[in-house]
Amino acid sequence: MMLAWSFAARTPDEIARLLRALGKHRYVREVDHRLHWSVDHALAELPEFAPHASAFQARLRKERALDLGSRDPSLWREAKTEDVIAALTAFWTPDDAALRYRSRLIEALARTGLPAAAHAPFASAPNEPPHPELVLLDWELYPVDELDADRHAGALAAMEEAEEAVNASAPIYNEGPVMAAPELCEGAPSGVLADDFLVWSDGPYSYSDYVFRGVAKAAKLVEPPIGYQDL
């Protein structure tokens, strides 16, 4: 079961610091971020996205039967943390450019033939995420049995103190919030999210909580993250 931590990050700058800190944290084994083709299409006028949008259009000319609304993994591309930050900043900055990007995004998604996502921003059913999700944020932490006794002493001590039952060899997955069209187009009125940014984890609570507190500190957020035990 995955549990969520809320981070005191609501502006594009705060979220950028959070994503960078997560991606570089010493407990993170792997980072896997992906962007849907429609995001590249919407942001094609920006230099970070233009080559990807152009390459996808060239692919469409060759693959006439490609189903734009399918779950084909190739409709999402690998993205660096800075790509994700640039995309979120573009959509969530309250200016005329963001209005263009949002319009182009809705236009691209209409080409899929799928019904438009109708949920309120950041309020989709967790067990039935909308399709397509447009920004996928995933991180994998080191399993407990791969933690170095010196380098990772903090998390090991936190787990020992909590006396949790731990599957030491299980990989630990973290993921960001669901981000579909409502989140990108309506999620940050006036450039600020209505609620704190969520990150989910399926690891031992004490382990994830220790890591997330370190991440928030590294990101210079004004408050530590809040997990369910804090409530």
Side-chain angles (χ1 to χ4, degrees):
M1 182 178 69
M2 284 197 135
L3 299 173
W5 276 254
S6 64
F7 287 80
R10 297 195 181 190
T11 67
D13 177 65
E14 290 167 343
I15 293 167
R17 299 202 308 268
L18 172 60
L19 295 180
R20 290 187 183 111
L22 265 168
K24 296 177 181 178
H25 199 274
R26 67 184 182 278
Y27 285 85
V28 173
R29 181 189 210 177
E30 183 178 358
V31 178
D32 183 12
H33 297 338
R34 296 181 183 271
L35 295 178
H36 192 251
W37 68 267
S38 60
V39 173
D40 286 324
H41 175 87
L43 303 179
E45 68 183 63
L46 300 177
E48 304 97 313
F49 303 94
H52 301 287
S54 178
F56 191 79
Q57 289 303 312
R59 179 186 175 190
L60 287 180
R61 289 191 290 270
K62 295 179 180 178
E63 300 180 37
R64 301 286 183 175
L66 183 62
D67 183 355
L68 295 178
S70 72
R71 298 180 184 273
D72 182 339
S74 70
L75 297 177
W76 287 259
R77 69 167 174 89
E78 293 183 10
K80 297 178 181 179
T81 298
E82 294 304 318
D83 293 337
V84 172
I85 291 170
L88 297 181
T89 300
F91 283 109
W92 290 345
T93 298
D95 56 17
D96 290 342
L99 296 178
R100 288 198 309 276
Y101 305 147
R102 296 167 190 169
S103 178
R104 285 176 59 85
L105 181 69
I106 298 304
E107 167 198 304
L109 292 172
R111 293 168 58 188
T112 67
L114 296 168
H119 62 276
F122 300 104
S124 62
N127 58 336
E128 294 183 12
H131 173 68
E133 293 182 61
L134 305 180
V135 181
L136 302 175
L137 302 176
D138 293 285
W139 303 265
E140 182 182 340
L141 304 185
Y142 284 103
V144 174
D145 62 6
E146 292 186 23
L147 296 179
D148 180 87
D150 295 322
R151 181 171 171 77
H152 305 119
L156 292 170
M159 285 183 281
E160 182 177 1
E161 181 178 349
E163 299 181 343
E164 287 185 88
V166 174
N167 181 348
S169 61
I172 296 169
Y173 297 110
N174 298 338
E175 61 185 45
V178 168
M179 282 193 271
E183 285 72 26
L184 295 188
C185 295
E186 306 163 24
S190 303
V192 181
L193 271 63
D195 294 303
D196 288 350
F197 195 85
L198 295 182
V199 178
W200 298 77
S201 180
D202 68 357
Y205 184 93
S206 54
Y207 182 3
S208 299
D209 189 65
Y210 178 86
V211 171
F212 289 158
R213 287 176 181 275
V215 165
K217 184 176 181 180
K220 294 182 170 58
L221 301 183
V222 294
E223 296 177 358
I226 297 175
Y228 83 89
Q229 290 189 10
D230 300 305
L231 302 176

